[in-house]
């Protein structure tokens, strides 16, 4: 998604949240939810359109277009500013507690004056919630557990998804400067960590003052924290700190290694340099004896000087990658160009799909994929799922599209894993589908042993080819539920079921640590976008980055196989 679209969509999502907290009519709330979804799914960068062009996009009417144009012109939406002033800020903090919705948050605030997570914690401990309608001992216990999980999150860090679009936009604008030879973001964001503290940007230029001035004067910047000769620190629109460093072009490779790797990884690399008679720091790679800087404009040149192969940025966490590189057995991790298709995607046949089936197929074909699986929700989700009859109607639509597109459209479903591990449809009908993902969408707070048994039961179904977003987490929003990963991995290997690396930057589920354990256990993975809009299909790189962090190779990933190999996997599972 274009940075502008994502930024505008966030403004409308905040309007939705504040409308809910203010007790607005549900139809009005729903209208703004649809507007936020349409903006997020827009196939065109909104910044390139006038108000009429914005209004002409599917799902965006004249009223929404006026507000979008207002934001693009002024940086504000008057309606949003009014809502921010009318809704107590503490209510927004409260609804970040998993399981605490806007209606309950408003009840807590109006009845007990609870306006923060700490105040909620105190009210639970003093049993003040029990007198409120619908709130009792069980609710207290659930909220107490949810608050504990919230407290365990990375403090001061934000989800990668909140930072990556603005980081790319900053780099794009700096790259347009004639004096900039190269620029990229570094740090934990380049390592594809799930959360980041700030955005590190590194530029190569012989005119550093000009580059620093360009960042400080950008309309994306809301505050300048530091304006030095070597480093500029700013706050960008989303409240995230961004630090810019500008280095000489001949030092760019060394600096990029220095500012990308984790602290412990960099220690390993510098130790390697010292043993080679070199010094490595943010200013370059130097001969220790003569203090002469070696020209290393790329990271590959630095690694070559150190006698090492190139180590992909997501692996630079000191989890054994340097030792493996020295020994010559660093795995050739999966890359984006290895991906042949996507095995988890939705269309507007599902209630939550934001693009037509043809739009999604065309976008997947445009990415050069060999195949794309449309896995709309199944009947177990009444609001969004397809009945058997609707699935048959969609089958006809798929057949018609298949005649016009040079990409294999796989007919599939995202099956809902029921309370006892049961899934949708009957076995005979499931056997007619090409590929099925099974996921948990309900009862996410059950005990770990129960959830594990539920998932393993679904794995034992011959129609279930992969488990989607295994732990149900949403980074910065919903914590993962408990599962016994060892038992899951054993069952996946035994039943021939793949585990999904969900590429949505809001999920990245399974995590990179789980990927590493799955690889070591010999379990097959899929990397899938779970796309609900055309823009979502471009999230594959985040899943690939997570897989790289877990040392997965293309041999570990099902959708790196050609179509025949995929069908062999499906056939093996069915038998």
């Amino acid at each position: 998604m274009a940075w502008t679209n994502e930024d505008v969509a966030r403004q409308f999502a905040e309007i939705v949240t504040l409308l809910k907290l203010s007790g607005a009519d549900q139809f009005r709330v729903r209208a703004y939810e649809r507007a936020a979804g349409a903006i997020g799914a827009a196939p065109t960068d909104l910044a390139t359109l006038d108000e009429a062009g914005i209004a002409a996009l599917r799902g965006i009417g004249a009223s929404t277009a006026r507000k979008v144009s207002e934001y693009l012109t002024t940086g504000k939406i008057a309606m949003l500013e009014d809502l921010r002033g009318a809704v107590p800020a503490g209510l927004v903090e409260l609804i970040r507690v998993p399981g605490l919705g806007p209606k309950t948050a408003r009840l807590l605030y109006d009845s007990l004056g609870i306006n923060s997570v700490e105040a909620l914690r105190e009210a639970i401990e003093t049993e003040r919630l029990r007198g409120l309608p619908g709130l009792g001992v069980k609710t207290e216990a659930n909220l107490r557990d949810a608050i504990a999980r919230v407290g365990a999150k990375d403090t001061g860090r934000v989800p990668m998804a909140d930072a990556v679009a603005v980081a790319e936009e900053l780099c794009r604008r700096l790259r347009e400067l004639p004096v900039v030879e190269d620029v990229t973001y570094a740090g934990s964001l380049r390592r594809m960590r799930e959360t980041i503290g700030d955005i590190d940007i590194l530029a190569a230029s012989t005119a550093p003052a000009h580059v620093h001035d360009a960042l400080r004067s950008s309309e994306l910047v809301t505050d300048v924290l530091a304006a030095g000769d070597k480093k500029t620190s700013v706050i960008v629109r989303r409240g995230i700190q961004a630090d810019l460093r500008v280095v000489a072009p001949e030092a760019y490779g060394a600096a990029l290694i220095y500012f990308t790797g984790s602290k412990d990884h960099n220690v390993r690399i510098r130790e390697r340099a010292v043993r080679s008679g070199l010094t490595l720091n943010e200013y370059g790679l130097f001969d220790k004896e003569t203090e002469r800087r070696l020209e290393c404009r790329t990271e590959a040149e630095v690694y070559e000087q150190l006698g090492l192969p190139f180590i992909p940025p997501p692996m630079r966490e000191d989890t054994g990658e340097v030792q493996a590189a020295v020994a010559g057995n660093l795995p050739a991790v999966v890359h984006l160009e290895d991906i042949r298709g996507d095995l988890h995607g939705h269309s507007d046949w599902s209630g939550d799909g934001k693009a037509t089936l043809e739009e999604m197929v065309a976008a997947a074909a445009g990415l050069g994929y060999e195949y794309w699986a449309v896995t709309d929700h199944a009947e177990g989700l009444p609001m969004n799922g397809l009945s058997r009859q609707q699935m048959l109607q969609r089958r006809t639509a798929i057949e018609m599209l298949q005649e016009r597109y040079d990409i294999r459209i796989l007919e599939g479903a995202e099956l809902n894993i029921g309370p006892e591990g049961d899934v949708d449809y009957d076995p005979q009908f499931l056997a007619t589908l090409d590929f099925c993902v099974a996921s948990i969408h309900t009862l996410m707070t059950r005990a770990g042993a129960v959830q594990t048994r539920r998932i393993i039961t679904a794995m034992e179904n011959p129609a279930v080819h992969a488990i989607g977003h295994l732990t149900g987490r949403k980074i910065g929003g919903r914590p993962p539920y408990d599962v016994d990963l060892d038992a899951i991995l054993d069952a996946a290997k035994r039943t021939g079921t793949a585990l999904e690396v969900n590429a949505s930057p809001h999920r990245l589920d399974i995590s990179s640590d789980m990927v590493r354990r799955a690889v070591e256990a010999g379990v097959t993975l899929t990397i899938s976008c779970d796309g609900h809009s055309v823009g979502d299909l471009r999230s594959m790189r985040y899943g690939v980055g997570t897989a790289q962090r877990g040392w997965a190779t293309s041999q570990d990933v099902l959708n790196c196989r050609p179509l025949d190999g995929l069908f062999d996997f499906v056939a093996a599972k069915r038998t």
Side-chain angles (χ1 to χ4, degrees):
M1 186 194 307
W3 177 85
T4 304
N5 298 19
E6 184 170 329
D7 195 32
V8 176
R10 287 177 183 275
Q11 308 305 310
F12 276 77
E14 186 178 354
I15 288 175
V16 171
T17 298
L18 296 178
L19 283 174
K20 289 179 179 178
L21 288 170
S22 66
D25 178 271
Q26 62 175 336
F27 296 104
R28 190 180 184 212
V29 172
R30 183 61 186 140
Y32 279 94
E33 284 179 332
R34 288 194 296 269
I39 291 166
T44 306
D45 186 345
L46 298 180
T48 65
L49 302 176
D50 59 16
E51 187 173 322
I54 296 170
L57 294 173
R58 190 162 70 95
I60 300 180
S63 176
T64 298
R66 278 195 299 273
K67 291 181 176 62
V68 172
S69 181
E70 177 188 1
Y71 182 71
L72 295 178
T73 304
T74 69
K76 295 181 179 181
I77 300 174
M79 176 187 175
L80 178 55
E81 296 299 312
D82 292 342
L83 283 169
R84 286 170 174 167
V87 177
L91 290 181
V92 178
E93 180 184 348
L94 282 179
I95 63 172
R96 294 195 177 105
V97 176
L100 182 56
K103 187 178 293 185
T104 303
R106 191 81 215 192
L107 175 65
L108 295 173
Y109 180 80
D110 292 341
S111 302
L112 302 176
I114 295 174
N115 61 358
S116 68
V117 173
E118 187 54 42
L120 176 60
R121 192 197 320 270
E122 183 180 336
I124 291 171
E125 297 307 320
T126 56
E127 301 180 355
R128 294 169 59 209
L129 269 57
R130 297 185 185 182
L132 298 178
L135 302 183
V137 177
K138 185 176 180 180
T139 303
E140 281 185 351
N142 290 340
L143 288 175
R144 183 183 293 110
D145 181 56
I147 290 172
R149 295 199 302 270
V150 170
K153 292 178 185 176
D154 288 335
T155 57
R157 299 181 69 84
V158 298
M160 176 180 67
D162 291 345
V164 67
V166 69
E168 290 176 340
E169 180 66 13
L170 288 170
C171 288
R172 184 190 68 79
R173 295 184 182 207
L174 292 175
R175 194 172 292 114
E176 291 176 348
L177 298 175
V179 297
V180 171
E181 293 192 17
D182 206 347
V183 62
T184 191
Y185 54 82
S188 53
L189 187 58
R190 188 164 179 245
R191 298 200 309 275
M192 293 273 182
R193 283 201 60 176
E194 298 158 358
T195 62
I196 63 111
D198 50 34
I199 298 169
D200 293 299
I201 296 177
L202 188 69
S205 176
T206 56
H210 187 73
V211 184
H212 286 295
D213 287 341
L215 177 64
R216 291 193 287 262
S217 60
S218 170
E219 71 270 20
L220 301 183
V221 171
T222 61
D223 193 17
V224 177
L225 303 179
D229 296 333
K230 297 178 180 177
K231 177 181 174 183
T232 289
S233 295
V234 299
I235 300 295
V236 295
R237 276 188 189 176
R238 292 184 186 167
I240 304 171
Q241 181 172 328
D243 297 332
L244 168 67
R245 295 172 178 85
V246 184
V247 300
E250 59 270 22
Y252 187 67
L256 195 51
I257 286 179
Y258 185 90
F259 288 112
T260 293
S262 71
K263 179 180 177 181
D264 291 335
H265 172 88
N266 287 347
V267 168
R268 300 279 183 192
I269 292 293
R270 290 199 298 272
E271 289 173 347
R272 176 80 176 173
V274 168
R275 287 194 292 271
S276 302
L278 302 169
T279 299
L280 176 65
N281 57 38
E282 61 186 287
Y283 304 109
L285 183 66
F286 298 87
D287 183 293
K288 191 173 183 180
E289 185 174 332
T290 66
E291 298 184 354
R292 179 179 64 87
R293 181 164 62 187
L294 308 181
E295 184 166 330
C296 294
R297 292 174 178 263
T298 68
E299 292 176 302
E301 290 174 318
V302 177
Y303 281 120
E304 184 179 0
Q305 290 280 1
L306 299 178
L308 297 173
F310 180 82
I311 300 175
M315 299 182 74
R316 302 178 196 174
E317 294 283 3
D318 192 35
T319 57
E321 70 280 0
V322 176
Q323 296 90 325
V326 170
N329 55 19
L330 188 74
V333 291
V334 61
H335 285 81
L336 188 59
E337 53 267 27
D338 298 323
I339 302 295
R340 291 175 177 260
D342 193 338
L343 295 172
H344 184 176
H346 299 266
S347 72
D348 63 358
W349 282 84
S350 280
D352 58 351
K354 299 180 179 68
T356 67
L357 178 59
E358 181 164 10
E359 287 170 339
M360 295 296 283
V361 169
L367 292 170
Y369 286 158
E370 184 179 343
Y371 48 83
W372 180 72
V374 53
T375 56
D376 290 315
H377 290 293
E379 61 187 357
L381 287 180
M383 289 184 64
N384 294 325
L386 277 66
S387 67
R388 175 175 172 152
Q389 184 59 37
Q390 289 172 314
M391 290 287 284
L392 291 173
Q393 292 170 351
R394 193 194 65 172
R395 180 174 297 173
T396 301
I398 290 172
E399 291 170 351
M400 294 175 64
L401 284 175
Q402 190 64 78
E403 296 176 359
R404 306 206 311 270
Y405 286 91
D406 188 24
I407 180 175
R408 180 59 182 268
I409 308 169
L410 300 175
E411 183 188 0
E414 183 177 12
L415 307 174
N416 187 54
I417 300 177
E420 304 304 322
D422 49 301
V423 298
D424 312 79
Y425 309 124
D426 59 81
Q428 292 74 26
F429 184 69
L430 286 172
T432 68
L433 300 177
D434 294 318
F435 193 86
C436 289
V437 181
S439 310
I440 286 178
H441 297 100
T442 59
L443 303 174
M444 294 187 182
T445 59
R446 301 174 95 187
V450 177
Q451 294 289 50
T452 301
R453 184 168 61 249
R454 181 183 180 189
I455 294 167
I456 291 175
T457 300
M459 285 181 169
E460 291 169 343
N461 190 314
V464 173
H465 307 119
I467 298 296
H469 41 76
L470 175 67
T471 73
R473 73 171 182 177
K474 290 188 177 179
I475 298 168
R478 184 172 68 204
Y481 45 76
D482 289 333
V483 292
D484 181 340
L485 184 60
D486 288 332
I488 294 286
L489 295 176
D490 287 344
K493 190 72 186 295
R494 171 173 55 85
T495 63
T497 308
L499 295 183
E500 177 187 78
V501 181
N502 191 292
S504 166
H506 298 281
R507 286 189 184 271
L508 301 180
D509 184 11
I510 55 178
S511 69
S512 59
D513 291 340
M514 289 181 165
V515 169
R516 184 84 174 263
R517 290 172 63 181
V519 168
E520 291 169 351
V523 169
T524 300
L525 302 169
T526 69
I527 307 175
S528 302
C529 290
D530 191 4
H532 288 67
S533 70
V534 168
D536 290 344
L537 295 181
R538 292 191 287 271
S539 297
M540 183 64 75
R541 57 180 174 146
Y542 305 120
V544 169
T546 299
Q548 289 179 339
R549 288 176 61 79
W551 292 37
T553 70
S554 60
Q555 285 72 38
D556 299 311
V557 180
L558 179 59
N559 49 315
C560 289
R561 301 181 189 180
L563 189 60
D564 288 346
L566 171 63
F567 283 154
D568 288 344
F569 179 89
V570 170
K573 177 65 195 281
R574 285 178 173 159
T575 58

